[in-house]
Amino acid sequence: MEIIMVEGIVVSEEIKVLKTDKGIPLCCFTFSANSTKLNCLITGKIAYAFLYEVEHNTELSLTGKINRKNQFVVLQYYILKKPTYFGKIFNYKGHTLPFSKNH
């Protein structure tokens, strides 16, 4: 397998954490690179940092390999740009509130 580098945006609304028998975290998310959607997996110690730092619409640079199930296994990631929430209103649980305009 050869190592591949891709740049793009996280398009998953949430990053899913899958249980494993050995207790090692396994995260899966969808990544869009050059109008191609990739199903990505990230595991091990970097999965904890990934869950904390990355969210929907974060621009990333990923380094990894494609496994036999055609999933991109992430070895390293770099955050290029975090999404901005300038002008949005949040409620106490962190969810955006809908804007209602009455004309």
Side-chain angles (χ1 to χ4, degrees):
M1 287 191 284
E2 59 187 47
I3 295 178
I4 302 168
M5 282 187 68
V6 292
E7 289 184 5
I9 297 174
V10 176
V11 293
S12 298
E13 288 295 324
E14 64 180 339
I15 298 169
K16 296 179 185 172
V17 180
L18 305 173
K19 276 187 172 182
T20 59
D21 295 336
K22 298 179 182 179
I24 300 170
L26 179 66
C27 302
C28 63
F29 62 98
T30 306
F31 187 74
S32 177
N34 299 330
S35 70
T36 303
K37 289 189 178 182
L38 297 170
N39 292 322
C40 299
L41 298 173
I42 188 164
T43 185
K45 291 181 182 179
I46 62 171
Y48 291 119
F50 187 83
L51 278 173
Y52 178 72
E53 295 176 337
V54 176
E55 57 189 329
H56 180 67
N57 286 335
T58 304
E59 290 184 32
L60 298 174
S61 174
L62 301 178
T63 304
K65 300 176 181 181
I66 295 182
N67 65 8
R68 57 190 164 139
K69 293 183 180 180
N70 208 19
Q71 298 166 323
F72 189 79
V73 180
V74 178
L75 301 174
Q76 289 182 340
Y77 72 94
Y78 298 101
I79 297 174
L80 301 175
K81 184 179 173 186
K82 286 195 159 219
T84 59
Y85 296 107
F86 183 73
K88 290 189 177 181
I89 300 172
F90 293 89
N91 67 5
Y92 72 97
K93 290 185 180 178
H95 301 287
T96 56
L97 296 176
F99 293 101
S100 62
K101 294 184 179 180
N102 297 327
H103 295 315

